[in-house]
């Protein structure tokens, strides 16, 4: 596995081959969720590139940028074992300069749900993903459904900027107790982790209601709130796949999304129906 930190060196390295390239952007502290993305990329492409970059522009002042989990050596081993060809490991200086041209998240879709409590977060995400996609020029780029709003906005960016890459959504990987895997789960104490299990429980309860043909979104959200309480709920939302509010669940075109804070840890989860 080749490790490259200079964006232009990576561009030059990838230019030499005509092979299909699968790309998995991450912020490191890799777990089975990331590995699922890498495996999928490995299956579908001749060359696999993974990036590890804790992108400063997507963290708001006071967020966990400085204490974001770092496991560089373990991450390198995981990538090597998963058959990654190139690991892109840039620094902030490699990626950003002063007074840059910027891309902004859309005014509505970038400022609802997670964007409502983290204004500007998705502008930072799109900014770095645009750079990464331009550096790697992948055939396909792999993103987890866990970050459903991020996936939606990146798909929009690729469409609206006529970018030449296929965005591949990958299903959420969960721990055996049902909690969606996240690099931030290491912040949770044992008791907090127990509390956090209310999140998958609330999503399971929603899918049970739906299986009984209870499709009214207000009713389903009430039931979910009751299960999640007294956790600090940022939102419980039921949307169609274009991220528009719906009154009734439409099977095949619905996402149920939850964000709660447990202790100081922000946890996201969702199901696609
Ligand atoms: P992150 O390192 O948290 O920025 O995540 C990098 C990529 O991995 C993103 O596309 C995430 O959506 C995806 N990802 C993170 N956790 C999971 C999970 N539990 N299941 C599937 N994909 C995930």
């Amino acid at each position: 596995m080749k490790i490259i930190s200079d964006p232009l060196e990576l561009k030059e390295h990838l230019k030499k081959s005509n092979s299909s390239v699968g790309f998995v952007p991450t912020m490191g502290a890799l777990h089975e969720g990331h590995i699922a993305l890498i495996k999928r990329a490995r299956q579908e492409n001749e060359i696999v590139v993974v990036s590890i970059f804790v992108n400063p522009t997507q963290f708001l002042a006071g967020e966990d940028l400085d204490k974001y989990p770092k496991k560089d050596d373990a991450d390198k081993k995981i990538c090597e074992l998963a058959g990654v060809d190139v690991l892109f490991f840039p620094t902030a200086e490699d990626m950003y300069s002063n007074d840059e041209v910027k891309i902004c998240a859309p005014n509505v879709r970038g400022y609802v749900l997670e964007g409502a409590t983290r204004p500007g977060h998705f502008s930072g995400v799109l900014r770095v993903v645009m750079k990464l996609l331009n550096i790697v020029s992948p055939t396909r780029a792999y993103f987890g459904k866990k970050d459903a709003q991020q996936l939606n906005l990146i798909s929009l960016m690729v469409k609206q900027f006529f970018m030449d890459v296929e965005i591949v959504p990958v299903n959420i990987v969960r721990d055996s107790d049902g909690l969606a895997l996240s690099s931030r789960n290491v912040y949770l104490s044992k008791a907090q982790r127990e509390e956090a299990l209310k999140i998958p429980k609330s999503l399971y309860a929603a899918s049970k209601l739906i299986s009984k043909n209870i499709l009214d979104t207000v009713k389903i959200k009430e039931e979910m709130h009751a299960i999640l309480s007294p956790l600090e709920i940022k939102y419980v939302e039921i949307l169609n796949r274009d991220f528009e509010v719906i009154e009734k669940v439409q099977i095949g075109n619905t996402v149920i999304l939850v964000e709660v804070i447990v202790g100081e840890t922000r946890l996201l989860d969702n199901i696609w129906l």
Side-chain angles (χ1 to χ4, degrees):
M1 182 177 76
K2 209 169 163 56
I3 301 178
I4 298 179
S5 62
D6 178 13
L8 294 179
E9 186 187 334
L10 177 58
K11 242 177 139 54
E12 204 50 42
H13 177 74
L14 293 170
K15 227 190 235 169
K16 286 181 206 143
S17 95
N18 276 329
S19 314
S20 57
V21 175
F23 177 43
V24 181
T26 81
M27 298 207 298
L30 302 180
H31 50 64
E32 288 293 335
H34 299 112
I35 293 171
L37 271 62
I38 297 171
K39 279 190 179 153
R40 179 86 182 267
R42 186 66 285 166
Q43 281 164 12
E44 296 177 353
N45 302 276
E46 288 155 289
I47 294 177
V48 174
V49 180
V50 171
S51 64
I52 295 182
F53 179 57
V54 182
N55 171 40
T57 65
Q58 70 189 68
F59 288 79
L60 274 60
E63 289 189 343
D64 58 344
L65 173 63
D66 295 331
K67 65 173 180 121
Y68 194 82
K70 244 185 178 325
K71 295 187 181 167
D72 295 352
D73 291 338
D75 287 349
K76 284 177 195 163
K77 283 216 173 76
I78 287 171
C79 287
E80 191 125 45
L81 287 172
V84 172
D85 298 294
V86 184
L87 178 57
F88 180 45
F89 221 129
T91 63
E93 290 70 37
D94 290 320
M95 292 295 282
Y96 290 107
S97 47
N98 291 327
D99 198 24
E100 290 203 333
V101 177
K102 290 191 193 80
I103 177 168
C104 294
N107 287 338
V108 177
R109 281 192 248 205
Y111 290 85
V112 292
L113 304 171
E114 196 182 357
T117 48
R118 306 180 77 188
H121 164 69
F122 286 115
S123 293
V125 170
L126 295 180
R127 207 170 146 193
V128 79
V129 172
M130 170 74 98
K131 281 175 188 265
L132 289 168
L133 292 175
N134 284 336
I135 293 164
V136 178
S137 297
T139 318
R140 302 177 188 86
Y142 296 80
F143 292 90
K145 286 183 177 177
K146 163 138 185 306
D147 298 283
Q149 190 177 10
Q150 168 176 290
L151 172 61
N152 178 261
L153 291 170
I154 290 168
S155 303
L156 269 186
M157 175 179 80
V158 163
K159 186 171 166 218
Q160 293 174 353
F161 280 76
F162 304 98
M163 295 167 72
D164 205 6
V165 55
E166 181 189 343
I167 300 298
V168 183
V170 179
N171 287 338
I172 297 179
V173 180
R174 297 175 181 281
D175 235 328
S176 52
D177 58 9
L179 191 66
L181 291 177
S182 162
S183 304
R184 288 191 168 103
N185 289 354
V186 294
Y187 297 152
L188 299 172
S189 68
K190 213 166 168 238
Q192 287 172 338
R193 200 187 156 96
E194 268 312 302
E195 284 291 285
L197 292 181
K198 289 179 173 164
I199 303 166
K201 274 185 197 140
S202 72
L203 290 167
Y204 179 68
S207 61
K208 270 202 110 170
L209 287 178
I210 293 162
S211 70
K212 288 183 195 149
N213 213 26
I214 296 167
L215 304 177
D216 181 274
T217 55
V218 173
K219 219 180 171 78
I220 297 167
K221 285 198 281 185
E222 269 171 18
E223 175 92 9
M224 292 178 70
H225 272 268
I227 293 170
L228 289 165
S229 153
L231 294 179
E232 184 186 339
I233 300 170
K234 288 292 176 188
Y235 58 79
V236 170
E237 206 48 87
I238 304 182
L239 307 175
N240 66 19
R241 300 267 170 100
D242 290 323
F243 274 60
E244 295 155 342
V245 174
I246 48 176
E247 285 173 13
K248 274 196 182 307
V249 168
Q250 306 155 5
I251 301 294
N253 186 28
T254 299
V255 194
I256 306 183
L257 306 108
V258 178
E259 181 185 333
V260 299
I261 309 286
V262 180
E264 289 187 356
T265 308
R266 173 188 301 280
L267 296 173
L268 300 179
D269 203 346
N270 60 70
I271 45 169
W272 300 49
L273 297 158

